[in-house]
Amino acid sequence: AIVEKKSGISPIWLLPLVAICVGGWLLYKSHLDKGIDIIIRAESASGITAGKTPVVFRGTHVGMVKEIHLDKALEHVELVVEMIKTSEPYLVEDLQLWVERVDVEAGRVTGLDTLLSGSYIGLALGSSDKKARSFVALPHRPAVREDAPGLHVTLHSEALYSVQVGSGIYHKNVMIGSVQSYKLESDDSVTLKAFIKPEFATLIKESSRFWNASGLTVSGGISDLKIHM
């Protein structure tokens, strides 16, 4: 028998080389697609589940809660959220985040869409140029920004009655806006901030009048019962 030594690389080494190349490409791609971790401090983690609660912007998922921790003082919870990579330009210091869940208060019910989809973290874009990775969650959905397109109206009333944040403003049974906030003034009157949608802004003129059209308001006690219909 004549033994001859073949030159070159044995074909058996091709398989490990291919595996190394594929593994390297997957690592590189995962690095490119890796999200951005941010910290959100909230009052409570009620309704929030790691790996299931998303961050939603205009109906689109832009992040996911990864971890939930209590802070050292046991006063707040810290949510570790992984945002999608394309969200990096929008992670600025005045970015607004809040937990959207069913919220029942006197005169209003909000967050009904979460009954089927579950709680989620809402997001409103900021205008700052300063980057940030740590945020404080708002207790409720924020009011419409003052620079948002549309008409911003200030209303004065002797009492709030049954009007609440989110109460609709209607014209011929069409909802054209909503109440954004209210506060009690030093003269015991109430000032309300309202927002009219851009497409209905031309309906509001100097002669326009607003009134409380709620169905029923009951106040007082047994000896002093007041019913306003």
Side-chain angles (χ1 to χ4, degrees):
I2 299 174
V3 179
E4 295 181 357
K5 186 177 181 180
K6 293 184 177 180
S7 60
I9 300 175
S10 174
I12 199 172
W13 290 102
L14 292 177
L15 186 59
L17 288 174
V18 171
I20 291 174
C21 292
V22 172
W25 166 251
L26 291 176
L27 287 174
Y28 177 70
K29 193 172 186 304
S30 65
H31 175 71
L32 289 179
D33 297 338
K34 180 177 174 57
I36 304 168
D37 286 349
I38 64 172
I39 304 295
I40 303 175
R41 192 177 71 172
E43 292 293 331
S44 169
S46 175
I48 301 175
T49 305
K52 293 184 178 180
T53 302
V55 179
V56 179
F57 176 66
R58 293 185 178 178
T60 303
H61 290 196
V62 295
M64 181 67 67
V65 176
K66 291 172 53 179
E67 303 172 14
I68 302 175
H69 305 287
L70 281 170
D71 66 353
K72 294 181 179 179
L74 303 180
E75 295 180 351
H76 303 89
V77 295
E78 293 183 347
L79 311 176
V80 181
V81 178
E82 182 178 358
M83 303 292 292
I84 60 176
K85 193 173 184 64
T86 54
S87 67
E88 183 175 8
Y90 309 104
L91 300 177
V92 294
E93 60 180 8
D94 60 345
L95 181 73
Q96 295 179 312
L97 298 130
W98 67 95
V99 180
E100 190 73 56
R101 57 169 69 95
V102 176
D103 187 10
V104 180
E105 293 185 3
R108 68 169 184 146
V109 180
T110 60
L112 289 177
D113 57 324
T114 63
L115 288 176
L116 297 178
S117 63
S119 299
Y120 61 87
I121 298 176
L123 182 151
L125 298 180
S127 58
S128 174
D129 295 328
K130 295 183 179 179
K131 302 294 183 181
R133 295 293 184 268
S134 181
F135 305 91
V136 177
L138 301 174
H140 300 287
R141 180 194 295 266
V144 177
R145 298 175 65 95
E146 291 291 339
D147 57 353
L151 184 63
H152 299 266
V153 180
T154 300
L155 306 175
H156 300 281
S157 174
E158 62 178 12
L160 185 63
Y161 298 111
S162 59
V163 177
Q164 297 290 326
V165 174
S167 294
I169 298 176
Y170 294 87
H171 175 68
K172 295 186 176 180
N173 291 333
V174 176
M175 185 173 176
I176 64 172
S178 60
V179 175
Q180 299 297 308
S181 65
Y182 59 84
K183 68 175 181 178
L184 185 66
E185 300 292 352
S186 57
D187 60 355
D188 215 27
S189 65
V190 177
T191 298
L192 301 96
K193 297 290 186 179
F195 173 72
I196 307 298
K197 298 176 183 178
E199 60 268 31
F200 302 115
T202 55
L203 294 174
I204 309 302
K205 303 176 176 61
E206 290 185 2
S207 59
S208 297
R209 293 293 180 265
F210 296 82
W211 66 91
N212 180 13
S214 303
L216 182 67
T217 300
V218 180
S219 61
I222 296 177
S223 60
D224 185 22
L225 183 62
K226 296 179 180 179
I227 300 177
H228 177 244
M229 183 176 296

